[in-house]
Amino acid sequence: MAHAQPNGADGVREVPGISSGSGGREARRQSGSISWVLTLFKAILSKMTSPANAEAQLSELELLFSMFPNELSVDDQLALIDLRDYVQGKILIPPTSRLQYTVRLQLDTPNVVCALSCSFPPNYPAVIPEISTRSDALYRTQQAQLNMDLHEYLRQNCCGEICMLNAIEWIKDHAAKYMSKETIATENRQPAGTKNVTCTRLWIYSHHIYNKEKRKNILEWAKELSLTGFSMPGKPGVICVEGPQDACEEYWARAKRLTWKRILIRHREDATLDITNNGTEAAMQMFRKFTDFEEKIFDVRGTKGNHMDLGQLYQFLNEKECGDVFQLYFGVEGRTL
């Protein structure tokens, strides 16, 4: 005849091998901690790219490439390589980097281009993608409203399905409604003799910058293309270039052809300036935050001596009135030393 296990002092039936005293309470606490960790781990796994999601992402991107061969550019080629390798079974661990790309759309309104930037969350298309649009023909408030309405349209109609073609068609059909007559008129009817120049500032992120030859190229290309800004070697690596748009794009084309563990444009700033009266260089100087291009070396941190002092980087960015970029790079607000 089986004997019932005696209850502990607190009335809880004792588990063989675990007493109801402090040791038992500690064991139950550890068991609860393990359970919480397992729950967290399952939640993380649920947000990672599944084979089906990865295949859907890759198939949709290849379709877009076939439809927009000259208008589509991938921001992070390494993320695309990782995704393709995962789909083909060359790697078993789901990629952690997001697929990001930009499509430049020529709208029916003459001379109006709308840039659509897209980032696929790991579990897309189970969730909608992160999409933003920008155009010189849109004021900031108009652009924000367009993006909000596009997001709502996708949420209501496309959740669980690939939807980039839907998003592109929606933008083509609706973008003109958000543009004021004044901005469209500026695009279409510039007074005789009016000249504009587009200035660009690229904030480039790299997993690391150690190689001396790369560091030499980073400096020499900026000088060759008359770009200002700075680079910060180490881990992570930071590059900022600013100047004429075509020169910045040439710089990026050269940089991404080098061998990197990971490199991408973290943030981009474009501004169209009137140079009718002031001239190109004067307008460019109004846009620039930096006077030349230099390699910035801050105090070294980390056991391997390969991490720059990010507090000093934040202080430097603040001095150049670029402090808000710090959060875009590192996901946290900087602190003044």
Side-chain angles (χ1 to χ4, degrees):
M1 181 175 180
H3 296 281
Q5 294 289 339
N7 289 344
D10 55 0
V12 177
R13 185 179 298 276
E14 294 182 358
V15 179
I18 298 179
S19 71
S20 61
S22 60
R25 287 194 294 271
E26 177 63 19
R28 289 194 294 275
R29 186 190 67 78
Q30 291 179 359
S31 177
S33 298
I34 293 172
S35 176
W36 179 84
V37 170
L38 288 174
T39 301
L40 178 62
F41 182 65
K42 290 178 181 178
I44 292 172
L45 284 178
S46 69
K47 295 182 179 180
M48 295 180 75
T49 305
S50 70
N53 287 341
E55 188 171 355
Q57 293 177 21
L58 186 60
S59 298
E60 184 175 36
L61 182 63
E62 290 174 345
L63 174 62
L64 292 173
F65 262 127
S66 69
M67 299 178 65
F68 304 98
N70 300 316
E71 296 86 358
L72 190 151
S73 60
V74 176
D75 298 337
D76 186 357
Q77 290 291 338
L78 288 178
L80 176 57
I81 293 171
D82 287 345
L83 184 67
R84 184 174 287 121
D85 286 349
Y86 180 61
V87 169
Q88 295 174 353
K90 295 180 180 179
I91 57 176
L92 300 179
I93 300 176
T96 56
S97 54
R98 291 188 174 198
L99 186 60
Q100 302 179 67
Y101 58 90
T102 301
V103 183
R104 296 180 64 82
L105 302 174
Q106 176 67 56
L107 303 184
D108 292 337
T109 304
N111 300 324
V112 175
V113 175
C114 190
L116 184 153
S117 298
C118 177
S119 173
F120 284 163
N123 48 346
Y124 170 79
V127 299
I128 62 175
E130 296 176 4
I131 300 178
S132 64
T133 59
R134 66 176 188 273
S135 173
D136 290 339
L138 288 167
Y139 292 124
R140 184 176 299 178
T141 53
Q142 296 167 338
Q143 188 166 283
Q145 188 62 53
L146 184 151
N147 286 324
M148 287 175 57
D149 292 347
L150 172 60
H151 184 275
E152 183 61 21
Y153 164 77
L154 295 177
R155 189 186 67 81
Q156 292 185 4
N157 297 279
C158 303
C159 193
E161 302 175 359
I162 59 173
C163 61
M164 287 308 301
L165 284 179
N166 300 66
I168 289 171
E169 288 303 314
W170 190 92
I171 290 170
K172 287 184 174 181
D173 292 341
H174 296 86
K177 300 176 184 177
Y178 295 83
M179 299 175 185
S180 67
K181 295 179 180 179
E182 291 79 6
T183 57
I184 294 177
T186 300
E187 291 289 326
N188 295 338
R189 297 195 310 275
Q190 292 184 350
T194 297
K195 296 180 180 179
N196 291 334
V197 63
T198 301
C199 305
T200 295
R201 184 177 299 110
L202 300 180
W203 295 93
I204 301 170
Y205 169 92
S206 171
H207 180 271
H208 64 264
I209 303 175
Y210 299 140
N211 184 278
K212 291 182 179 179
E213 189 64 26
K214 284 183 184 176
R215 291 166 65 179
K216 179 181 177 183
N217 288 334
I218 288 169
L219 291 167
E220 290 183 349
W221 290 343
K223 289 178 170 58
E224 175 191 339
L225 296 169
S226 300
L227 299 174
T228 51
F230 76 98
S231 65
M232 184 188 78
K235 181 180 180 181
V238 174
I239 306 171
C240 172
V241 290
E242 60 180 10
Q245 185 179 64
D246 56 349
C248 287
E249 291 178 348
E250 171 63 21
Y251 186 93
W252 171 239
R254 295 184 190 183
K256 68 182 181 180
R257 281 198 294 265
L258 300 176
T259 302
W260 303 90
K261 181 171 183 179
R262 180 172 171 79
I263 190 169
L264 57 93
I265 297 175
R266 182 67 79 186
H267 183 54
R268 176 180 182 135
E269 301 172 58
D270 294 299
T272 301
L273 304 179
D274 184 352
I275 60 172
T276 306
N277 300 318
N278 298 323
T280 302
E281 191 54 39
M284 202 67 67
Q285 291 303 323
M286 294 174 60
F287 174 78
R288 293 184 194 271
K289 301 284 190 181
F290 306 89
T291 56
D292 55 10
F293 192 93
E294 60 180 332
E295 183 178 77
K296 296 296 295 183
I297 305 293
F298 303 109
D299 291 344
V300 177
R301 296 286 186 268
T303 55
K304 297 182 180 180
N306 59 352
H307 294 271
M308 296 292 176
D309 189 316
L310 296 183
Q312 293 181 12
L313 170 63
Y314 178 66
Q315 186 175 24
F316 170 73
L317 292 174
N318 259 345
E319 292 170 356
K320 300 297 182 179
E321 299 180 347
C322 303
D324 55 330
V325 175
F326 187 91
Q327 187 167 12
L328 295 175
Y329 265 100
F330 306 107
V332 295
E333 294 184 2
R335 294 183 179 181
T336 305
L337 297 177

